[in-house]
Amino acid sequence: PLAPLVYQGIIMEFDIQKLTEQAPVFLITYGTQLLMALLILFIGRWLARLVSNAIVNGMNKKDVDTTISKFVGSLSYTALLAFVIIAALGQLGIQTASFVAIVGAAGLAIGFALQGSLSNFAAGVLLIVFRPIRAGDFVEVAGEAGVIEEVGIFCTLMKSGDNKVITIPNSNVMGGNITNYSMKPTRRIDMVVGIGYDADIRKAKAVLENIMASEERVLKDP
């Protein structure tokens, strides 16, 4: 039997018997694809999280900075999850080539738009990996001097001598000279002491030597 269907003034007829016969085939074909896509999505997501946690745990065992290990773990999870989603869409019969091209073009556009932020991000990664400065170090960077409070992904926080918090973009930190006063356990201090022209130079030297000998922080050697 033919069932009439009125849609916007147009009468269409569908063969209900034919549709009923084809329904099981349709459900089996597309239902299987949908089930496989869901399995790929859930299992792939579980594997991505498993790999990400393994990477973080491995880096923590190597005493890698917590900030960089968490970032690498998050980045690896996001990349793996993107591959899983593309595989699931491919299982559904969706053409993923154009999708990948669109994502790539969007990433390129975002990269150009966030060029300054990406340079700060790259500099932050270098600071965390090579660690020329650490929290608690007294340093001179980007024309500022103070104690480092935090080295972040995009910026570095420094506390000055008069208790001001200075936020410095990481690209400025890596783009100039870094003077770290706390990296070495000892440091030489040069002091110029003036005395009168008619003073006894030997006595002045003896007084200075006695002062240094009584100071515990002055090393005997060197």
Side-chain angles (χ1 to χ4, degrees), residues 52 55-56 59-60 63-76 120-131 133-135 148-156 170:
S52 174
I55 292 174
V56 172
M59 296 182 72
N60 290 335
D63 294 329
V64 178
D65 191 273
T66 306
T67 305
I68 193 67
S69 63
K70 288 183 178 180
F71 169 73
V72 172
S74 177
L75 186 64
S76 60
N120 289 328
F121 169 77
V125 173
L126 293 177
L127 286 173
I128 294 172
V129 171
F130 295 104
R131 308 187 76 175
I133 57 176
R134 304 183 184 187
I148 297 297
E149 288 197 330
E150 180 184 353
V151 179
I153 291 295
F154 291 97
C155 61
T156 297
N170 286 333

Side-chain angles (χ1 to χ4, degrees), residues 134-184:
R134 304 183 184 187
D137 289 351
F138 183 84
V139 300
E140 287 184 8
V141 294
E144 302 288 347
V147 178
I148 297 297
E149 288 197 330
E150 180 184 353
V151 179
I153 291 295
F154 291 97
C155 61
T156 297
L157 298 182
M158 173 192 294
K159 184 173 69 174
S160 63
D162 52 354
N163 207 31
K164 294 185 296 187
V165 176
I166 305 172
T167 302
I168 306 174
N170 286 333
S171 59
N172 293 347
V173 177
M174 289 295 294
N177 295 334
I178 300 175
T179 304
N180 193 326
Y181 293 93
S182 305
M183 183 169 290
K184 297 295 183 180

